Amino acid sequence: MAKSTRSPESARADRGDQADIQAVSRVSQILSLFDPATPRVSTGLVAERLGLNRTTAYRYCTSLVAAGLLERDPDGGYVPGGLLLQLGAFAIGHRRVVSLAPRHMRALARATQNSAVLSLWGLTGPVVSRVEENASAIVVVSVRVGSHLPLDTAQSKVFLAYHADQLSMERLMANLPGPARDELRDDIERVRSLGHCSAMSTPGVVALAAPVFDEYGICASLAIVGPDNTLSMSDDAPELRVIADIARELTHELGGHYLPDDAGRRAV
C-alpha cells in the first residue's frame, strides 16, 4: 500500500488554512447577529448564539474592535464599528439605484409634500439608504439613514412580496408569532395584487411604498412618509398613483420590468 508523501510542514500548513477559514466564518457569524431586534451584542450573547465559550467569544469581539469592525458601547457591549459602516456606505454608493434615485425622490417629495425614502434589502430586512425631505412642509416626518426596518413596515412588505428568494422570506416570517405571520402573509398577497403598500409605520405616521426593479428583480423600495392626518392609507389615495408612476420611471431607467403592471393587466 502506498504511503503518504506529505511532509509535516504541509500538514501544519493545511491545519493553519483550516483555522483561518474557521476564523473568517466565525467573524461572519458574529456580524450576522446584528439585525433590527439586535442592534448591539454582548460577549454572553455571542457565546450563546454561536455555541462558543465566553473566553473565545470575548477574544473574537476584542479582535474585531481592534480591526474597526466593532466598537464598544458605554454599557460594555458591541455595536457595528466605523470600518463596517464605511464599507456598508461604500457598497450602497455603488448600487446604481442609489445614484439614479435622488432626482426621482426629489420629484416625489415635491409632488406629495412628504418625505421620500429609498431602502435596499439588507440581511434580514430593508435598510434606509437615502431620504429626501420636503423642505416646504411645516411638519417634516423623516427616517434616519441606516435604519433597519421591521417586517411589518410598508417597505418590508413590498420586498417580501417581490423578493426572488421566497424561501428565505418564509424563513424570516417563520420567526413571527402565528397570528402576526398570517396577517403579514395576507398583506403580502394584497401587495402583489395592488402593486403597492400602505401601513402605519409608527403611531401617527403613515408610509406608502412601491417596488423598484432592475434587470435582476426588485432592487429597492420607494416610499413616502407623513402624518396620518395628511397622508391617507386608502387604496385610491392620489399619492399612491404618484409613487407608483415614479417607481415605474425609475425601474425603466434601471432597465427593469415593473411587475405590478402585470398584476394590473391580469385584473382587467
Side-chain angles (χ1 to χ4, degrees), residues 14-251:
D14 286 347
R15 287 195 295 271
D17 290 344
Q18 291 171 0
D20 290 343
I21 292 171
Q22 184 181 40
V24 171
S25 177
R26 290 289 190 214
V27 167
S28 173
Q29 291 171 341
I30 291 170
L31 297 180
S32 295
L33 293 177
F34 292 101
D35 62 25
T38 313
R40 65 184 294 278
V41 300
S42 64
T43 299
L45 179 67
V46 172
E48 177 186 351
R49 294 278 184 90
L50 302 187
L52 304 173
N53 63 56
R54 291 178 68 93
T55 300
T56 301
Y58 174 78
R59 222 171 39 239
Y60 271 110
C61 289
T62 53
S63 296
L64 290 175
V65 169
L69 293 172
L70 294 181
E71 291 178 1
R72 295 297 295 265
D73 69 8
D75 298 323
Y78 301 92
V79 296
L83 178 58
L84 197 60
L85 298 176
Q86 177 182 329
L87 292 173
F90 178 79
I92 289 174
H94 278 67
R95 297 287 184 93
R96 193 155 56 102
V97 64
V98 178
S99 300
L100 295 177
R103 173 173 60 86
H104 297 276
M105 294 176 68
R106 287 190 291 270
L108 179 60
R110 285 194 304 270
T112 63
Q113 298 294 294
N114 288 285
S115 298
V117 180
L118 184 81
S119 296
L120 307 183
W121 187 259
L123 287 174
T124 57
V127 179
V128 176
S129 303
R130 189 175 183 92
V131 176
E132 291 286 344
E133 297 177 351
N134 173 33
S136 64
I138 297 175
V139 177
V140 175
V141 177
S142 190
V143 185
R144 181 173 56 84
V145 171
S147 297
H148 292 257
L149 303 178
L151 293 181
D152 61 353
T153 58
Q155 295 197 67
S156 293
K157 292 173 185 177
V158 164
F159 270 110
L160 291 170
Y162 292 106
H163 200 288
D165 188 354
Q166 285 295 305
L167 182 59
S168 293
M169 300 302 101
E170 283 292 331
R171 290 192 185 117
L172 284 177
M173 292 189 290
N175 297 320
L176 299 173
R181 184 170 62 248
D182 293 341
E183 182 178 352
L184 182 56
R185 283 177 175 152
D186 289 342
D187 289 344
I188 291 168
E189 285 303 317
R190 183 174 173 80
V191 172
R192 292 187 183 122
S193 65
L194 296 175
H196 54 70
C197 184
S198 306
M200 187 79 73
S201 55
T202 58
V205 176
V206 168
L208 311 181
V212 177
F213 303 86
D214 61 13
E215 65 267 38
Y216 303 108
I218 186 170
C219 63
S221 58
L222 184 62
I224 51 175
V225 294
D228 61 355
N229 61 348
T230 61
L231 192 57
S232 171
M233 293 175 59
S234 171
D235 288 338
D236 59 0
E239 293 87 356
L240 280 173
R241 179 177 295 277
V242 175
I243 192 172
D245 287 345
I246 290 181
R248 185 182 293 106
E249 290 175 11
L250 181 53
T251 291

